[in-house]
Amino acid sequence: MPLSQTPAFVKSWSQVEELMLDSAITPDQLDWLLHLVSSTPKLRKLSLGFYKGDQMFMQLLSAFHTLYKLEELRLKSARVTVNALSSLLLRNSATLHSLSLQHIALGDYEGRWSTVFQNMKGHFPCLQNLVLFWLKQGTYTDGLFIFSMLLKYPVSPGSEVRGPNDCLKYESPQIDSMEDPIRLRYWPIGQSVLGIEYHGKEIDQVLGALVITAGAN
């Protein structure tokens, strides 16, 4: 009997509240990793990183009804469809307060980030920490999401994360008047804004602006 199926391991593993997996998933590991994640009914914090992205893993993971009370979710270097990502997020909408999506590609050819952000609007009462960086849509190599359209005026490239004291003018009046600013993350060369960070309570205003920005990408 594999160690992960022994009564002692199952009992101990069921108490896990935080889990981090950073791996290049091979076909023979798929069922084992899915079993590990699905056997954690008390899981509150989940961090998944893939070297090449594994759309099948994310597709199956999104269907797990045992993942329904995550407080923190971090995905990195993953490839996922709009439906799979939306399902995973919405299943945890009542408890999720921190979300990080970095180097994520939408695997469906016509999948758009505007759909993901629109699906999130009005459903995440606890979400106060949002990190988005290097998002792609359309294909895995093209369709890089540019956040510069959030801004009314171009800004000069500076540090990777601009501080809250920067006087930036946003395209949306709602964004411009928010108490907690959106912080921008730059590609080291050039002026392209490839990511944002937001820490505050006005997440729906941020998502609304992202829907408009995503529609223009």
Side-chain angles (χ1 to χ4, degrees), residues 43-60:
L43 195 63
R44 297 185 300 108
K45 301 179 181 180
L46 177 61
S47 178
L48 297 174
F50 310 100
Y51 291 110
K52 294 183 179 180
D54 193 297
Q55 187 167 320
M56 178 59 69
F57 182 89
M58 293 302 302
Q59 196 76 22
L60 295 172

Side-chain angles (χ1 to χ4, degrees), residues 98-119:
S98 183
L99 174 64
S100 175
L101 302 175
Q102 302 192 58
H103 295 271
I104 306 297
L106 296 180
D108 28 6
Y109 182 74
E110 296 184 353
R112 292 293 179 264
W113 282 104
S114 57
T115 305
V116 176
F117 299 140
Q118 184 64 53
N119 290 343

Side-chain angles (χ1 to χ4, degrees), residues 26-80:
T26 59
D28 59 318
Q29 294 175 323
L30 184 62
D31 290 340
W32 178 70
L33 288 174
L34 287 170
H35 171 72
L36 288 182
V37 178
S38 64
S39 302
T40 52
K42 296 185 178 181
L43 195 63
R44 297 185 300 108
K45 301 179 181 180
L46 177 61
S47 178
L48 297 174
F50 310 100
Y51 291 110
K52 294 183 179 180
D54 193 297
Q55 187 167 320
M56 178 59 69
F57 182 89
M58 293 302 302
Q59 196 76 22
L60 295 172
L61 183 71
S62 69
F64 282 167
H65 293 281
T66 52
L67 291 178
Y68 66 93
K69 51 184 177 182
L70 292 177
E71 297 174 6
E72 296 183 14
L73 176 62
R74 296 183 178 90
L75 298 178
K76 186 176 181 180
S77 300
R79 190 175 187 182
V80 61

